[in-house]
RNA sequence: UGUCCAGUAGCUCAAUGGCAGAGCACCGGCCUGAUAAGCCGGUGAUGUCAGUUCGAUUCUGACCUGGAUGACCA
């Protein structure tokens, strides 16, 4: 028997089945770097329609985690898919480099500012630390296959950035949004600084709740007020009377300036006895019973009832300070807890502050930056507020004003870095005022012009902007961009020429960065007037840094000038970067800095629980990359619907790896069978192609439309599903299976084979582009194995232009349905051991209508489509008793009685028809020694 | 405690006021000319409870679970 294997065209390719991504990817990265792929793409994209994604800067501290990977890879998929779609899509990554966390790291090593290092050296240490972090994070991002201008990222510590930031700040001042305020702000004693809203988190805290008595300064006046309200003299003028307040922050009592009652709430005057001492208290009616039981009161009687408003203005004795404080009305007073009377320290609370302003109280703050009562504070001067609690309670007890104390658990604001309780402390701070120039309203209007994806993002940010307080932008820290202002020593006003002065400062900062401000001799700028002014020592909130990226980066990199097309971050950035960027942009330019804002969810484990170190359920991206490869991680990110939580587990990674292999293998099969195909000479025109091959091209072309749509809609999980199903169902399950016979057995340069190769070539060219944004490494590997002249990288190409669709002769969807039906009928034969492969069977299909027509037009080539040795088709009316119903048609199947062709494995009656080739069928003989067969349909 | 989002087979995703689809996984089989592959067949699901409706996975409400975010001030 002649060995005919040599006469077959079996697949050949150097493209390996095993990906070995962990080893292969770094080499590919080196090659990309070597050839400056990013730069090449920029040059190739010149003049195209721009699509700009502005990178939200990660904070330069710590190793990147899964969330970072998700964010950067999503951005990368967007940028690459837009590049392939023919846009000029630059990507300039950036880092957020100033701020407290870096200071804390440096403090760990060098101690606080002024101990081992002076401020200047400390800042230098911060700078060095941040740059080191940037380097390490950059390495990890690059390893993920994220393509961008990594050699020239933007850093908020770049002198140019810092200079532009103060220029932006000047613009905000010019437009009237800056305000200097003496207001209570969240203050972290460990930071020694004010905090922004975004830096506050609420945690449970165990406090001591106390009831403190404020005695009436003039009981007769109180009685008179009650009588005026109720029409009855309450009497009992000889008894002690007062109003008890309830508080969990005893340390604020030294700053007390008033007691607030709800103006519309009902209060009662109660008389009772404690240890046989009769006395009177005013309490909210609803809270009276609870409160009086706390005080062990007996023989209680309610003397009268009135509204809080009725005793407004009555004076009370401060429990220990030498002053009297008024009763005021406060709408914010509720009946949730306490006594219905709220102690007001305008220097230590927001409501308190507002009440203080409304009632012309002193905004008194006796607490220093370090939490110690300032010199001159009666009784407690020099004590730390956390330690003074006992002393305060003791004083209250001595004064007979401590009615009750008990432990109390509540949630309380904490510093999100130190996790320590915050205090409210009135200090002079700088604010971006949301209302004095209509910033809030304009911001809300700008939100309307932005497309928010998912759309609930709009409501979220609207609610936040509508409800937020003024933005406290000053920090009393070392590592940050200075607030470059001069304050008049007498009037407290900023220098009238501030914008111009800031420009002069910015010019110095262009080269020297923030040190230019700290080194500045005010005389150089202000001349003789310098003596009248004081330089501000505060730094800016780092949210100002990142919030001004849209302005600062564009000054040196005009290709990303605002407004940009897209911001893409985690959904937590509605309160963070999206908002800070919006506010600065509206403050400077009256418009949003972005057209679209896309958010993604957070990573969770397989049970849907968030990943955290304490739960021990974190998965490190570095680990995945170094074992499975970056493409596997990228595929997971693409395959997951990022609008909700994104869950990751060992099983999920396994599934992702499996589907990766399937796609890779499909590509490998295409490449293996494109062996020897030179598109320049071998590519057939659609007219010359076998009908099935034209179907494959048409199918791929239709799919491409869907895939591009999905990319355009940022629905990458749809891209993945479409791609994977195409590989499995259309290609593996049908087309590639069917054309194997033709590829292998017909002549290498024959029309039937070239036709199939032409189709596969089109499919491969398109598919490598579909894959490229997601499986960047693998796509590049495929690209390099594809035949034909091509550029250095798939990313230098644009979406594949399919040849114009030709009308098909066969309704292939019908044929696919019949194929499934035949497979069902073949299964029992196989189970019975009558046949093994489908080529051992012959079938007759009985059908009517369109499916009959489809099969009839295939004629003799039906058997190739069904992958059986013989296939006949007859009208339904002729079906015999033995026919089996499968789907809509009836099938008769049996094992073929014919001999097997050793070459093509079909069972044919014409084996040996050509005498010189006794072991092969006539078709094979023709292909081996004759003119070669021709195919029209399959 | 408020608001928002999500909950569809073991996993990843679909869909619809009218029999809930796909792929993977799993089970069974085939092939050995994609072979640490490939092909065929099969099993399997709407978080819970009510309501509206002829009919609800879809609409409404409550609850549960998870996530995000805000308020919690005295």
């Amino acid at each position: 028997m002649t060995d005919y294997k040599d006469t077959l065209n079996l697949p050949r390719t150097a493209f390996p089945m095993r990906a070995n991504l962990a080893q292969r990817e770094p080499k590919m990265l080196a090659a990309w770097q070597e050839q400056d792929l990013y730069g090449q793409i920029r040059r190739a994209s010149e003049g195209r329609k721009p699509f700009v994604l502005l990178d939200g800067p990660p904070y330069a501290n710590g190793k990147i985690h899964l969330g970072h990977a998700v964010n950067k890879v999503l951005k990368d998929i967007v940028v690459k898919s837009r590049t392939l779609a023919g846009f000029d899509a630059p990507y300039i990554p950036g880092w957020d480099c100033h701020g407290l966390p870096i200071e804390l790291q440096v403090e760990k090593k060098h101690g606080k500012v002024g101990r081992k290092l002076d401020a200047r050296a400390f800042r230098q240490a911060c700078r060095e630390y941040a740059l080191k972090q940037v380097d390490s994070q950059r390495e990890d991002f690059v390893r993920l296959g994220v393509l961008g201008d990594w050699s020239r990222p933007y850093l908020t510590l770049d002198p140019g950035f810092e200079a532009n930031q103060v220029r932006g700040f000047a613009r905000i001042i010019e437009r009237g949004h800056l305000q200097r305020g003496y207001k209570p702000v969240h203050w972290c004693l460990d930071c020694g600084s004010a905090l922004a809203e975004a830096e506050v988190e609420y945690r449970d805290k165990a406090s001591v709740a106390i009831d403190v008595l404020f005695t009436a300064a003039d009981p007769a006046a109180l009685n008179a007020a009650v009588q005026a309200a109720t029409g009855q003299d309450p009497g009992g003028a000889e008894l002690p009377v007062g109003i008890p307040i309830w508080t969990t922050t005893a340390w604020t009592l030294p700053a007390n300036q008033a007691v607030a009652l709800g103006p519309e709430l009902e209060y009662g005057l109660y008389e009772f006895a404690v240890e046989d001492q009769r006395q009177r208290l005013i309490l909210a009616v609803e809270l009276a019973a609870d409160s009086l039981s706390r005080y062990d009161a007996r023989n209680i009687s309610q003397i009268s009832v009135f509204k809080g408003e009725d005793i407004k203005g009555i004076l009370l004795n401060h429990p220990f300070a030498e002053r009297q404080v008024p009763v005021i009305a406060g709408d914010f007073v509720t009946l949730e807890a306490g006594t219905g009377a709220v102690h007001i320290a305008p220097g230590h609370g927001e409501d308190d502050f507002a009440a203080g302003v409304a009632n012309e109280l002193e905004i008194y703050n006796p607490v220093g930056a370090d939490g110690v009562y300032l010199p001159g504070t009666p009784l407690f001067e020099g004590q730390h507020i956390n330690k003074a609690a006992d002393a305060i309670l003791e004083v209250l007890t001595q004064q007979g004003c401590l009615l009750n104390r008990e432990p109390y658990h509540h949630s309380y604001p904490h510093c999100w870095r130190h996790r320590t309780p915050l205090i409210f402390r009135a200090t002079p701070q700088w604010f971006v005022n949301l209302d004095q120039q209509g910033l809030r309203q304009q911001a809300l209007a700008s939100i309307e012009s932005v497309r928010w994806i998912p759309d609930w993002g709009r409501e979220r940010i609207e609610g936040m902007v509508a409800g937020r307080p003024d933005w406290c932008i000053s920090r009393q820290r070392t590592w940050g961009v200075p607030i470059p202002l001069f304050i008049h020593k007498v009037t407290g006003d900023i220098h009238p020429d501030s914008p111009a002065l800031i420009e002069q400062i910015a010019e110095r900062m262009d080269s020297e960065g923030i040190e230019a401000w700290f080194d500045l001799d005010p005389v150089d700028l202000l001349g003789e007037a310098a003596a009248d002014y004081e330089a501000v020592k505060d730094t800016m909130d780092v949210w100002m840094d990142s919030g001004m990226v849209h302005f600062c980066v564009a000054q040196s990199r005009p290709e990303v000038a605002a407004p940009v097309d897209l911001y893409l971050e985690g959904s937590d950035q509605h309160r963070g970067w999206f908002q800070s960027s919006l506010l600065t942009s509206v403050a400077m330019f009256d418009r949003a800095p972005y057209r679209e804002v896309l958010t993604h969810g957070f990573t969770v484990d397989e049970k849907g629980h968030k990943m955290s170190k304490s739960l021990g359920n974190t998965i490190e991206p570095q680990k995945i990359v170094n074992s499975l490869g970056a493409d596997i991680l990228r595929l997971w990110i693409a395959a997951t619907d990022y609008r909700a939580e994104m869950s990751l587990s060992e099983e999920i990674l396994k599934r992702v790896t499996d589907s990766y292999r399937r796609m890779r293998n499909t590509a490998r099969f295409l490449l293996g069978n494109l062996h020897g195909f030179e598109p320049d000479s071998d590519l057939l025109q659609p007219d010359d192609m076998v009908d099935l091959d034209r179907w494959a091209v048409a199918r791929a072309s239709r799919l491409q439309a869907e895939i591009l749509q999905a990319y355009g809609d940022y629905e990458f999980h749809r891209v993945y599903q479409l791609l994977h199903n195409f590989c499995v169902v259309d290609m593996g399950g049908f087309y590639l299976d069917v054309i194997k016979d033709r590829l292998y057995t017909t002549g290498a340069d024959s029309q039937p084979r070239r036709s199939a190769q032409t189709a596969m070539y089109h499919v491969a060219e398109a598919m490598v582009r579909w894959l490229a944004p997601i499986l960047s490494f693998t796509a590049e590997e495929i690209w390099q194995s594809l035949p034909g002249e091509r550029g250095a990288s798939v990313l230098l190409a644009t979406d594949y232009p399919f040849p114009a669709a030709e009308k098909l002769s066969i309704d292939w969807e019908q044929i696919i349905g019949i194929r499934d039906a035949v497979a069902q009928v073949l299964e029992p034969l196989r189970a019975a051991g009558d046949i093994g492969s489908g080529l051992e069977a012959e079938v007759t299909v009985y059908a009517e209508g369109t499916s009959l027509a489809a099969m009839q037009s295939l004629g003799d080539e039906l058997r190739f489509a069904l992958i059986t040795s013989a296939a006949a088709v007859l009208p339904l009316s002729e079906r015999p008793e033995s026919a089996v119903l499968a789907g809509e048609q009836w099938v008769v199947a049996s094992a073929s009685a014919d001999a097997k062709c050793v070459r093509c494995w079909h069972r044919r009656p014409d084996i040996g028809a050509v005498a010189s080739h006794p072991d092969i069928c006539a078709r094979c003989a023709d292909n081996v020694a004759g003119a070669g067969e021709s195919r029209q349909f399959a």
Side-chain angles (χ1 to χ4, degrees):
Chain A
M1 192 201 291
T2 321
D3 184 4
Y4 288 98
K5 198 151 176 171
D6 292 345
T7 69
L8 298 172
N9 308 297
L10 297 180
R12 275 173 64 182
T13 178
F15 185 88
M17 171 142 46
R18 297 247 318 151
N20 236 323
L21 293 172
Q23 280 76 46
R24 204 183 305 276
E25 287 170 345
K27 291 176 193 158
M28 215 167 294
L29 281 170
W32 284 340
Q33 217 147 17
E34 176 83 13
Q35 71 195 52
D36 182 25
L37 179 57
Y38 179 79
Q40 282 196 61
I41 294 172
R42 287 283 64 71
R43 290 188 286 280
S45 306
E46 235 171 272
R48 293 184 192 165
K49 194 175 172 212
F51 178 89
V52 180
L53 179 154
L54 187 61
D55 190 39
Y59 194 75
N61 187 25
K63 284 204 309 185
I64 69 163
H65 57 245
L66 197 55
H68 286 118
V70 165
N71 178 257
K72 278 289 198 284
V73 168
L74 286 175
K75 286 171 177 164
D76 191 48
I77 294 174
V78 168
V79 169
K80 283 174 176 164
S81 60
R82 296 289 182 176
T83 298
L84 282 161
F87 287 89
D88 179 8
Y91 178 60
I92 301 174
W95 273 274
D96 196 1
C97 300
H98 294 123
L100 185 66
I102 289 172
E103 286 195 43
L104 294 179
Q105 293 297 327
V106 171
E107 276 179 12
K108 266 190 210 164
K109 201 168 161 199
H110 300 289
K112 297 207 176 208
V113 180
R115 298 239 325 249
K116 284 193 213 157
L117 299 180
D118 63 17
R120 189 188 174 88
F122 188 88
R123 281 191 300 270
Q124 186 53 31
C126 289
R127 200 168 285 122
E128 284 161 16
Y129 176 84
L131 289 172
K132 211 179 278 180
Q133 297 297 310
V134 166
D135 281 341
S136 125
Q137 292 191 355
R138 167 165 43 199
E139 194 176 324
D140 284 348
F141 287 140
V142 168
R143 178 64 189 83
L144 291 173
V146 177
L147 192 64
D149 203 348
W150 294 107
S151 60
R152 287 200 303 157
Y154 74 81
L155 305 180
T156 60
L157 58 62
D158 285 335
F161 190 106
E162 292 169 340
N164 285 325
Q165 187 173 328
V166 302
R167 288 190 176 101
F169 182 63
R171 189 166 170 96
I172 291 173
I173 296 172
E174 277 179 302
R175 292 171 55 94
H177 299 296
L178 187 75
Q179 181 198 17
R180 188 184 197 215
Y182 181 76
K183 284 198 202 182
V185 290
H186 284 292
W187 185 273
C188 175
L189 298 174
D190 293 298
C191 298
S193 175
L195 298 186
E197 286 297 300
E199 297 169 317
V200 176
E201 69 178 20
Y202 285 82
R203 306 168 64 85
D204 285 335
K205 179 176 186 287
S207 298
V208 175
I210 55 175
D211 290 71
V212 179
L213 175 64
F214 281 63
T215 54
D218 179 359
L222 178 57
N223 270 3
V226 171
Q227 183 171 6
T230 62
Q232 287 181 339
D233 180 1
E238 73 289 359
L239 294 172
V241 61
I243 301 178
I245 61 92
W246 181 85
T247 182
T248 58
T249 50
W251 63 267
T252 59
L253 286 170
N256 174 279
Q257 300 294 335
V259 170
L261 303 184
E264 297 302 320
L265 300 179
E266 285 204 325
Y267 290 83
L269 176 62
Y270 295 88
E271 183 172 329
F272 56 93
V274 173
E275 294 173 354
D276 296 333
Q277 294 287 318
R278 292 209 68 77
Q279 50 188 285
R280 287 181 167 192
L281 289 178
I282 290 170
L283 292 158
V285 170
E286 205 170 300
L287 294 166
D290 278 355
S291 300
L292 290 167
S293 79
R294 281 204 297 279
Y295 313 148
D296 294 326
R298 290 155 199 269
N299 302 326
I300 300 163
S301 57
Q302 188 185 62
I303 308 297
S304 49
V305 176
F306 44 89
K307 286 186 173 175
E309 188 150 39
D310 299 332
I311 58 167
K312 196 168 71 176
I314 294 294
L315 291 177
L316 305 170
N317 295 308
H318 189 282
F320 50 78
E322 295 290 324
R323 63 172 176 267
Q324 296 179 346
V325 300
V327 171
I328 62 171
D331 289 322
F332 51 87
V333 178
T334 64
L335 299 172
E336 278 159 35
T339 60
V342 176
H343 125 74
I344 297 296
H348 293 309
E350 256 178 286
D351 285 338
D352 303 52
F353 175 77
V357 170
N359 293 281
E360 296 179 345
L361 305 175
E362 185 186 351
I363 313 300
Y364 175 51
N365 166 40
V367 178
D370 51 0
V372 172
Y373 287 110
L374 296 169
T377 309
L379 304 175
F380 306 110
E381 157 179 341
Q383 295 191 49
H384 192 280
I385 58 162
N386 288 342
K387 304 215 170 104
D390 288 342
I392 292 173
L393 293 186
E394 196 177 318
V395 170
L396 290 172
T397 308
Q398 281 169 16
Q399 299 290 327
C401 292
L402 184 62
L403 300 180
N404 184 53
R405 59 181 293 182
E406 58 191 21
Y408 186 73
H409 294 269
H410 57 151
S411 72
Y412 189 84
H414 287 65
C415 172
W416 77 342
R417 295 293 175 194
H418 289 98
R419 308 219 147 169
T420 49
L422 300 176
I423 63 171
F424 258 104
R425 181 168 173 267
T427 52
Q429 299 289 349
W430 297 94
F431 296 85
V432 168
N433 185 296
L434 273 289
D435 299 299
Q436 68 191 15
Q437 292 297 328
L439 178 55
R440 191 189 311 273
Q441 285 316 311
Q442 286 185 59
L444 287 170
S446 304
I447 287 170
E448 295 306 311
S449 70
V450 175
R451 180 180 174 216
W452 302 87
I453 312 167
D455 51 16
W456 49 260
R458 171 189 312 256
E459 252 177 275
R460 165 163 298 179
I461 196 160
E462 260 172 9
M464 286 174 164
V465 170
R468 66 162 296 155
D470 291 334
W471 179 5
C472 176
I473 58 160
S474 45
R475 295 291 180 280
Q476 292 65 51
R477 297 300 307 184
T478 308
W479 178 230
V481 174
I483 293 179
L485 292 173
F486 297 98
I487 306 295
H488 194 277
K489 283 177 180 169
V490 177
T491 66
D493 293 335
I494 65 171
H495 194 287
D497 294 334
S498 282
L501 290 170
I502 291 175
E503 178 50 37
Q504 290 185 51
I505 295 159
E507 277 160 24
R508 296 170 186 229
M509 286 175 67
D510 277 326
S511 53
E512 293 166 62
I514 56 178
E515 300 303 330
W517 168 256
F518 299 112
D519 290 346
L520 186 74
D521 182 349
V523 176
D524 291 351
L525 287 189
L526 306 180
E528 284 178 12
D532 299 332
Y533 286 90
E534 197 169 0
V536 171
K537 292 196 177 65
D538 293 350
T539 57
M540 281 190 224
D541 176 12
V542 289
W543 288 103
M544 280 287 271
D545 300 19
S546 58
M548 281 211 259
V549 164
H550 60 81
F551 172 75
C552 299
V553 177
Q555 303 309 304
S556 53
R557 313 294 295 271
E559 65 266 42
V560 295
V564 300
D565 294 288
L566 184 66
Y567 275 33
L568 192 173
E569 307 295 334
S571 53
D572 56 336
Q573 296 303 329
H574 285 115
R575 97 158 164 177
W577 194 51
F578 299 146
Q579 198 180 147
S580 62
S581 299
L582 179 74
L583 292 177
T584 61
S585 180
V586 171
M588 286 190 261
F589 304 110
D590 293 333
R591 53 145 168 76
Y594 34 64
R595 297 190 186 95
E596 289 186 320
V597 175
L598 181 64
T599 55
H600 56 82
F602 286 74
T603 56
V604 297
D605 66 15
E606 71 273 20
K607 295 190 196 98
H609 294 126
K610 68 174 163 193
M611 291 189 175
S612 71
K613 280 182 195 150
S614 54
L615 287 173
N617 61 352
T618 53
I619 299 181
E620 289 168 14
Q622 295 85 353
K623 246 185 185 160
I624 299 173
V625 165
N626 292 328
S627 54
L628 301 172
D631 267 1
I632 300 296
L633 181 60
R634 296 176 64 99
L635 186 56
W636 167 70
I637 292 166
T640 306
D641 183 349
Y642 57 74
R643 289 168 292 200
E645 298 95 72
M646 306 176 68
S647 58
L648 186 58
S649 66
E650 287 302 321
E651 180 182 359
I652 292 167
L653 274 177
K654 175 126 185 7
R655 295 290 92 85
V656 169
T657 307
D658 287 345
S659 72
Y660 169 83
R661 278 209 288 266
R662 183 55 194 245
M663 293 190 280
R664 182 182 177 88
N665 246 321
T666 303
R668 181 167 183 267
F669 183 87
L670 296 174
L671 293 172
N673 286 292
L674 283 169
H675 180 75
F677 180 79
E678 283 304 325
D680 280 350
S681 48
D682 301 330
L683 192 83
L684 299 188
Q685 292 308 304
D687 278 350
D688 302 327
M689 289 171 71
V690 172
D691 205 63
L692 176 60
D693 300 328
R694 291 209 302 258
W695 171 85
V697 175
R699 175 78 194 92
S701 179
R702 275 203 311 279
L703 181 75
Q704 173 156 285
E706 290 182 74
I707 286 177
L708 298 187
Q709 172 85 42
Y711 269 128
D713 293 341
Y714 310 119
E715 294 192 350
F716 310 129
H717 64 286
R718 249 182 75 216
V719 172
Y720 161 80
Q721 298 277 341
L722 289 166
L723 245 169
H724 190 250
N725 275 24
F726 176 73
C727 289
V728 173
V729 180
D730 297 309
M731 292 293 109
F734 175 58
Y735 179 68
L736 298 181
D737 204 23
V738 169
I739 62 169
K740 263 187 235 176
D741 173 85
R742 184 149 46 96
L743 285 166
Y744 299 167
T745 67
T746 68
D749 194 34
S750 66
Q751 174 263 353
R753 181 159 180 270
R754 290 306 189 202
S755 170
Q757 286 185 312
T758 298
M760 293 196 319
Y761 177 75
H762 288 311
V763 169
E765 284 276 19
M767 190 168 131
V768 69
R769 290 160 169 86
W770 304 338
L771 290 169
I774 298 167
L775 299 180
S776 299
F777 294 100
T778 303
E780 197 75 313
E781 204 185 336
I782 295 169
W783 182 258
Q784 284 159 8
S785 299
L786 276 168
E789 288 288 311
R790 57 192 60 254
S793 166
V794 60
L795 290 171
L796 289 163
T798 52
D799 290 324
Y800 188 66
F802 277 99
E806 294 293 313
K807 200 166 184 315
L808 301 175
S809 308
I810 308 291
D811 182 349
W812 287 101
E813 307 309 319
Q814 290 280 356
I815 301 298
I816 290 170
I818 288 155
R819 226 173 142 264
D820 293 342
V822 168
Q824 275 172 44
V825 177
L826 253 30
E827 197 61 21
L829 293 186
R830 200 169 277 140
D834 293 342
I835 60 164
S837 86
L839 284 177
E840 288 177 42
E842 49 190 41
V843 298
T844 306
V845 185
Y846 300 88
E848 58 184 351
T850 52
S851 93
L852 177 69
M855 283 186 285
Q856 280 175 333
S857 31
L858 263 172
D860 290 342
E861 295 181 20
L862 178 60
R863 67 184 175 107
F864 296 117
L866 299 181
I867 320 185
T868 54
S869 277
V873 55
L874 290 169
L876 196 57
S877 55
E878 294 179 30
R879 106 185 122 90
E881 284 293 305
S882 58
V884 178
L885 178 67
E888 286 168 9
Q889 39 280 314
W890 296 75
V891 179
V892 172
S894 61
S896 170
D898 295 322
K900 175 178 175 181
C901 169
V902 300
R903 184 169 180 273
C904 72
W905 297 347
H906 285 238
R907 308 243 164 195
R908 303 300 293 172
D910 55 6
I911 307 289
V914 175
S916 54
H917 295 282
D919 299 323
I920 62 176
C921 65
R923 182 174 73 94
C924 278
D926 189 28
N927 281 329
V928 172
E933 68 177 313
S934 66
R935 296 277 186 93
Q936 198 179 346
F937 302 114

